[in-house]
C-alpha cells in the first residue's frame, strides 16, 4: 500500500501548477496525459453508475421497485440523500488513502471533479442541489496531526464548480472522537453521539437551508447521520451527503 501511495504522489507532484500546459501522467496507469486521470481510466473505473439507494447510496438491484434500500426503509436516516462518485474499492480507495494519509493534496481537485459529475448526474434526474455546503469537520488533535482536512480540500473546488457557497465553519466538532474505522459497527453510533454542534454565528445560515455535507468516504453512515441530526436540530430543511466513495457491504 505504501509503495502505491508513493507512486501516486510522484505522478501528481510534477502536475502543479502547469498541468494544462505540459503533459503529465495519469495517476492510475502512468500514461502521459494532460489530465490527472486519463479518459480511458476514467471510463473504465468511474463511469459505471450502478442503481443506488437515494438515501444512503448503497447499490440496490435494478429490478427493485423502491428507490430506497431495505435498511433505509426500516431505519430511516436523518439525512435525505447521498451522492457518491464510486464505491470504496480499488483503485478509488488508493486515491482516498493517498490524499488522506499521504497528504497528496493535488488529488483533492480530481476527486471533486468526479463528484461534480455525479452531482450533475443526479440533479438532472430530479435531486435538488444544496443551497449551502460544508465539510465534515476534524477534531483539533487530528487536524493538528494531519495538517489539513481532506473533506474540506475536496469541498472547496467542488463548491466552486457547482456555484454553491461553502461555509467551513458551519459545524464544529466538540471532541476528538475515536476513529470510526477502528470500532465495531455497533459502537460507532455511540462514538459519534453529540460530537457536533452548530455555533452561534452560523445558526441563521442553517435555519431553512438545504445543506450539502462533503466527506471522502461513507461506511456505516453514523458520522453523517449524526451531522444531519445536528443540522436538523438547528433548523436545516434538508441534508444531502456528497461523498467521494461508498463502502459496500460484503
Amino acid at each position: 500500500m505504501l509503495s502505491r501511495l508513493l507512486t501516486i504522489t510522484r505522478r501528481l507532484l510534477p502536475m502543479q501548477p502547469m498541468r494544462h500546459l505540459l503533459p503529465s501522467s495519469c495517476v492510475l496507469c502512468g500514461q502521459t496525459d494532460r489530465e490527472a486521470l486519463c479518459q480511458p481510466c476514467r471510463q473504465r473505473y468511474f463511469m459505471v453508475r450502478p442503481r443506488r439507494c437515494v438515501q444512503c447510496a448503497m447499490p440496490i438491484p435494478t429490478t427493485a421497485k423502491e428507490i430506497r434500500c431495505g435498511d433505509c426503509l426500516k431505519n430511516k436516516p436523518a439525512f435525505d440523500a447521498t451522492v457518491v462518485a464510486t464505491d470504496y474499492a480499488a483503485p478509488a480507495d488508493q486515491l482516498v488513502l493517498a490524499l488522506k494519509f499521504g497528504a497528496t493534496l493535488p488529488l483533492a481537485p480530481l476527486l471533486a471533479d468526479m463528484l461534480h459529475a455525479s452531482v450533475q448526474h443526479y440533479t438532472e434526474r430530479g435531486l435538488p442541489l444544496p443551497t449551502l455546503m460544508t465539510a465534515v469537520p476534524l477534531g483539533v488533535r487530528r487536524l493538528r496531526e494531519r495538517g489539513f482536512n481532506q473533506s474540506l480540500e475536496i469541498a472547496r473546488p467542488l463548491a466552486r464548480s457547482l456555484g454553491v457557497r461553502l461555509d467551513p465553519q458551519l459545524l464544529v466538532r466538540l471532541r476528538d472522537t475515536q476513529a470510526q474505522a477502528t470500532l465495531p459497527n455497533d459502537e460507532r453510533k455511540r462514538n459519534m453521539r453529540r460530537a457536533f454542534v452548530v455555533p452561534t454565528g452560523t445558526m441563521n445560515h442553517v435555519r431553512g437551508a438545504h445543506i450539502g455535507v462533503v466527506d471522502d468516504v461513507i461506511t456505516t453512515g453514523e458520522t453523517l447521520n449524526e451531522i444531519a441530526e445536528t443540522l436538523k436540530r438547528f433548523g436545516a430543511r434538508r441534508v444531502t451527503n456528497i461523498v467521494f466513495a461508498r463502502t459496500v457491504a460484503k
Side-chain angles (χ1 to χ4, degrees):
M1 183 181 293
L2 178 59
S3 62
R4 181 63 178 155
L5 297 184
L6 291 173
T7 299
I8 290 174
T9 301
R10 284 195 295 269
R11 287 175 180 169
L12 276 166
L13 286 178
M15 189 178 69
Q16 302 295 324
M18 301 179 67
R19 56 185 294 244
H20 294 296
L21 300 179
L22 298 175
S24 182
S25 60
C26 172
V27 295
L28 294 183
C29 70
Q31 294 298 310
T32 300
D33 199 272
R34 292 183 181 275
E35 299 296 327
L37 182 68
C38 70
Q39 282 303 314
C41 282
R42 187 183 288 257
Q43 197 75 30
R44 179 180 180 184
Y45 297 116
F46 299 104
M47 294 305 290
V48 176
R49 299 190 189 278
R51 190 178 182 204
R52 296 183 183 273
C53 169
V54 70
Q55 201 150 16
C56 73
M58 190 66 78
I60 57 177
T62 56
T63 55
K65 294 181 180 180
E66 293 284 350
I67 61 172
R68 289 174 174 80
C69 67
D71 286 344
C72 287
L73 288 171
K74 185 177 179 180
N75 300 300
K76 186 178 179 181
F79 47 79
D80 299 277
T82 300
V83 174
V84 299
T86 187
D87 288 334
Y88 188 66
D93 57 347
Q94 298 300 319
L95 300 180
V96 173
L97 292 170
L99 170 61
K100 193 171 186 174
F101 300 113
T104 315
L105 296 183
L107 274 172
L110 171 62
L111 271 57
D113 180 60
M114 286 189 276
L115 256 180
H116 184 186
S118 295
V119 172
Q120 284 189 317
H121 173 79
Y122 286 103
T123 54
E124 287 170 1
R125 284 153 179 78
L127 193 70
L129 191 68
T131 56
L132 179 64
M133 287 172 58
T134 193
V136 174
L138 290 180
V140 174
R141 177 176 55 80
R142 193 159 295 139
L143 183 59
R144 188 184 300 121
E145 290 171 353
R146 193 171 297 165
F148 64 96
N149 178 348
Q150 75 281 352
S151 299
L152 182 57
E153 295 301 319
I154 297 170
R156 285 191 175 110
L158 178 60
R160 284 196 299 270
S161 65
L162 291 174
V164 178
R165 186 167 70 87
L166 174 69
D167 189 342
Q169 308 303 322
L170 199 68
L171 279 167
V172 172
R173 189 183 287 253
L174 293 174
R175 53 189 170 84
D176 281 297
T177 54
Q178 192 171 340
Q180 290 287 82
T182 66
L183 297 173
N185 287 355
D186 58 355
E187 292 183 21
R188 294 186 178 195
K189 185 175 184 66
R190 184 167 60 252
N191 184 48
M192 298 311 303
R193 178 58 59 191
R194 300 287 180 175
F196 305 96
V197 71
V198 174
T200 304
T202 62
M203 285 181 185
N204 288 337
H205 300 163
V206 170
R207 195 172 295 116
H210 173 189
I211 299 173
V213 181
V214 179
D215 205 0
D216 55 345
V217 179
I218 177 172
T219 304
T220 63
E222 293 296 350
T223 300
L224 290 164
N225 193 67
E226 181 65 26
I227 285 175
E229 285 185 357
T230 302
L231 291 171
K232 289 191 172 180
R233 195 162 60 245
F234 283 85
R237 173 177 54 85
R238 183 180 174 91
V239 177
T240 296
N241 303 322
I242 306 175
V243 186
F244 176 68
R246 193 345 150 185
T247 299
V248 178
K250 296 181 180 180

